[in-house]
Amino acid sequence: MWSVARTRWIGYALVTEVAAVAATVTAMVVDFGGAVQFGWFAALVVLGVGQAEMSRRSERLRRWMSGQTHINVTSVWYLAGAFLLPPAWVAVLALVLYLHLWLRVWRNVRTRPAHRFAASTAWAMLSCFAASAILTVDHLNDATLNTWHGVLALGIAAAVFEAVNTALVAAGIYLYTGSRQSADLIGTWEDNAFEFATLCLGGLAALALVAQPVLVVFVVAPLLLLHRYLLLKQQLQVAAVTDEKTGLLNTAGWHVLASREFTRARRGGEFAVLMIDLDHFKRINDTYGHLTGDEVLAAVAVAIEDAVRQTDTVGRFGGEEFVVLLPDTAGPHVLAIAERVRVAVGELRLVVGGASEIAGLSVSVGVAGYPGSGDTLEKVLRSADAALYRAKDAGRNRVAV
């Protein structure tokens, strides 16, 4: 956490985590909201865990493909809990379901490191606590769900949960990335529409649990379908910006992320770009054929990704040319990463056709940085490209600035 997250985000995360724990413990000590009915708590845990297990593969893929915002369909059970449980126990419910997701789904997803998981858990706990607390204070949770008063209570709980969660998450994303784009901070209109649909299912789950518990199974089915639809939507979005041969971002996809980083860097940051060209690639195609050439490109892509950091963005610009965006990086650190890439490709050994081995691959790397090499993204790219040609003119298999 200390090496990848900004100090201001770390402070914010720690404050919200302490607040979540303090609010939960204090509410339990003073018996805020009354005694818990453990039957309801156990039922919601079982439903939440069961639904997560049934959609585990989809959730892992969705989490891997997600940007900054991520629609978590477990909020269905949080809203039901806000009406059925005291505030502290709704927060505990969020903690239990998030821990289960971490252990079974998110732990091995590189876009979900432990420090971000801990912060997200705290934000979910605070959102659940707030939704249940407002009902407790106004005695709205005493309403019967099949009356207008009960429907109003569910609506208020959903609105409070959504408002608090959106504010906490948006602040966290801003402090972590510096982005001010609304799509990054609060999601798109479509994202929020899906979140609204999830909360509606949460209201139906609460109604079913109170009126006729067996009916809650009719909530699980559409919830799983919603999950699958969200995955399909994200898969189509990813396919549009992914290079088929290497699995890296294509030119359009890389430019989108690079433009966001440039916008952030203009407010006082820095970044660097590596332009990488596989030397003598035409010889490989001429000697072994284009299918083998595609295998070599895929292997080089993996070597580049392994040599850079998780926070760096790798793309393919077509042919045998690759590009890497290095956020918050300048000077010797950039050269060290570029050299790591060059060495990693040079160490590749590929067996093709069951016998022949391809070795001795090399890349030329051009390095440029913002703001030193240009005051726009286009100028930085042109500088990196010019440096790449200097590396080739100097004999290839080297790094040039």
Side-chain angles (χ1 to χ4, degrees):
M1 174 177 74
W2 306 106
S3 60
V4 298
R6 299 180 178 186
T7 302
R8 62 185 186 180
W9 183 89
I10 294 172
Y12 174 72
L14 291 175
V15 167
T16 52
E17 288 161 13
V18 170
V21 173
T24 302
V25 173
T26 302
M28 284 187 172
V29 171
V30 302
D31 201 26
F32 178 50
V36 61
Q37 295 186 41
F38 286 103
W40 288 135
F41 180 78
L44 290 169
V45 168
V46 169
L47 287 166
V49 169
Q51 172 259 310
E53 284 294 324
M54 286 186 282
S55 58
R56 185 158 59 94
R57 184 175 177 274
S58 298
E59 175 63 21
R60 183 181 290 115
L61 291 171
R62 285 188 58 232
R63 183 66 267 183
W64 179 78
M65 291 186 292
S66 287
Q68 297 299 332
T69 54
H70 177 72
I71 302 170
N72 189 348
V73 296
T74 53
S75 55
V76 165
W77 315 116
Y78 303 155
L79 183 57
F83 197 89
L84 300 171
L85 301 172
W89 286 94
V90 189
V92 173
L93 173 67
L95 174 62
V96 171
L97 296 185
Y98 260 71
L99 281 173
H100 173 262
L101 284 171
W102 167 256
L103 293 173
R104 296 288 288 162
V105 181
W106 296 336
R107 183 171 49 176
N108 298 318
V109 179
R110 68 180 181 88
T111 58
R112 197 68 171 169
H115 62 275
R116 291 182 64 178
F117 157 75
S120 297
T121 303
W123 301 338
M125 292 174 67
L126 289 171
S127 303
C128 290
F129 190 95
S132 182
I134 193 67
L135 298 184
T136 300
V137 170
D138 292 337
H139 301 289
L140 290 172
N141 52 359
D142 295 331
T144 303
L145 279 175
N146 61 358
T147 66
W148 71 267
H149 196 189
V151 174
L152 174 64
L154 280 174
I156 291 174
V160 171
F161 175 88
E162 184 66 13
V164 174
N165 190 252
T166 298
L168 290 171
V169 172
I173 292 173
Y174 171 72
L175 294 174
Y176 197 90
T177 66
S179 173
R180 296 187 180 183
Q181 297 189 26
S182 60
D184 288 336
L185 298 178
I186 62 174
T188 64
W189 285 108
E190 189 175 22
D191 291 335
N192 286 283
F194 281 123
E195 182 69 22
F196 176 73
T198 301
L199 292 173
C200 288
L201 288 174
L204 293 175
L207 180 60
L209 287 169
V210 172
Q212 187 60 262
V214 71
L215 295 177
V216 78
V217 298
F218 292 101
V219 174
V220 175
L223 186 61
L224 294 175
L225 287 175
L226 177 63
H227 214 291
R228 293 291 296 175
Y229 180 82
L230 290 172
L231 173 60
L232 177 61
K233 169 178 170 285
Q234 287 177 300
Q235 286 175 326
L236 292 174
Q237 290 173 334
V238 169
V241 296
T242 301
D243 174 64
E244 291 183 0
K245 293 181 180 179
T246 63
L248 301 176
L249 290 172
N250 60 22
T251 304
W254 188 89
H255 267 286
V256 169
L257 294 184
S259 297
R260 293 180 184 176
E261 178 60 25
F262 172 70
T263 300
R264 187 198 63 78
R266 285 174 60 188
R267 297 191 291 272
E270 57 189 1
F271 66 87
V273 169
L274 309 182
M275 293 290 285
I276 305 166
D277 190 84
L278 181 58
D279 298 327
H280 305 299
F281 181 63
K282 186 176 184 299
R283 293 181 188 174
I284 296 173
N285 279 334
D286 292 343
T287 304
Y288 300 99
H290 288 279
L291 291 179
T292 298
D294 291 345
E295 292 181 26
V296 171
L297 288 175
V300 169
V302 171
I304 294 173
E305 282 199 304
D306 289 344
V308 300
R309 305 162 302 180
Q310 288 189 353
T311 53
D312 301 329
T313 302
V314 185
R316 181 182 176 219
F317 266 24
E320 63 270 30
E321 193 167 70
F322 302 86
V323 62
V324 183
L325 175 72
L326 309 173
D328 296 315
T329 312
H333 296 296
V334 179
L335 295 177
I337 295 171
E339 186 63 21
R340 258 199 335 259
V341 169
R342 189 189 68 80
V343 171
V345 174
E347 293 176 346
L348 284 175
R349 298 288 187 274
L350 305 176
V351 177
V352 295
S356 301
E357 182 181 81
I358 298 178
L361 297 173
S362 67
V363 290
S364 301
V365 185
V367 177
Y370 174 86
S373 301
D375 57 1
T376 67
L377 176 60
E378 184 65 27
K379 289 180 180 179
V380 174
L381 286 170
R382 288 183 181 276
S383 295
D385 199 46
L388 170 62
Y389 278 96
R390 283 198 294 275
K392 285 188 168 295
D393 290 342
R396 295 184 171 86
N397 192 24
R398 66 192 64 219
V399 176
V401 178

